[in-house]
Amino acid sequence: MKNDAKKQGFTLAETLITLAIIGICAAMLITTIKNINPNEKSNIVMARKAVGNFTDATKQVLIFNSTTKKMDNLSCGTSKDDDTDATKQANAKCVTELYAKYLQVSKLKSSDSTGLGGQYFGELIDGLTFGIEYDTNCTLKEGTTIQVLPPDEGVTSEVIVSGACAIIYYDVNGAKEPNMVGKDRFSIPVRKSGVKINAKAG
């Protein structure tokens, strides 16, 4: 009976070691939780979803609005030789309206206070705001910016946008802060054959 009683319970050393391990694990977990920004994570999820939606919309735009199924031949009735600001704005409006047919758009606006895609932009029912810059000569250049890749290719990368027919600028949380590129604002280059992001890991 005495031997059985001695075998029950833990020694002080075992208890202290166990508490120390629990403390270390808790400290690591708390640090990890602190490093996760829930808003930023949500923005990335929204951005990846947006890329998928705009990719699908681009396919529809090319199928139903271009006789050659190319982005430089959309049915907008604008001249490739006309490079005036008025024509650029008309092009942007035309292409944005084409995309709106294949997206769940809640409203389109002609005056832009968002800085997204010139003088014409749209809002989707999920709160995402977007604008489109369009160039029939496909010479749009955007320099170095932060992009969100399609869901099967990763999360974010630093890319050079060059030779795009259109650039879709979008803000995943509308007017909410921080309104910064790479945080809640992203862009998708659209080349002749559609959405194609040549990315270099940043």
Side-chain angles (χ1 to χ4, degrees), residues 1-139:
M1 295 293 292
K2 289 182 179 180
N3 289 337
D4 290 340
K6 287 182 179 179
K7 289 181 180 179
Q8 293 178 355
F10 296 99
T11 65
L12 178 60
E14 290 172 334
T15 303
L16 291 174
I17 290 172
T18 302
L19 290 174
I21 292 172
I22 292 173
I24 292 170
C25 291
M28 292 172 62
L29 180 60
I30 290 171
T31 302
T32 302
I33 292 173
K34 283 183 177 179
N35 289 335
I36 296 175
N37 184 332
N39 291 331
E40 186 172 334
K41 186 175 181 180
S42 174
N43 288 345
I44 293 297
V45 171
M46 286 285 290
R48 294 172 106 181
K49 178 183 175 182
V51 170
N53 289 341
F54 281 115
T55 299
D56 292 340
T58 300
K59 292 176 183 177
Q60 299 300 311
V61 166
L62 294 178
I63 290 172
F64 296 108
N65 301 279
S66 174
T67 55
T68 61
K69 307 297 185 291
K70 298 292 183 181
M71 198 70 187
D72 61 341
N73 193 36
L74 292 180
S75 55
C76 285
T78 55
S79 171
K80 289 188 176 185
D81 298 324
D82 188 350
D83 196 35
T84 63
D85 287 341
T87 297
K88 289 179 180 179
Q89 290 177 15
N91 286 346
K93 178 180 178 180
C94 171
V95 177
T96 302
E97 289 175 338
L98 291 182
Y99 270 83
K101 295 178 183 178
Y102 311 106
L103 295 167
Q104 294 181 309
V105 175
S106 61
K107 66 176 74 172
L108 291 170
K109 296 183 179 181
S110 59
S111 60
D112 186 4
S113 59
T114 67
L116 299 174
Q119 299 299 312
Y120 204 79
F121 70 101
E123 294 179 6
L124 305 190
I125 58 173
D126 59 5
L128 183 147
T129 305
F130 74 99
I132 298 176
E133 186 177 0
Y134 178 67
D135 173 24
T136 54
N137 291 310
C138 302
T139 57

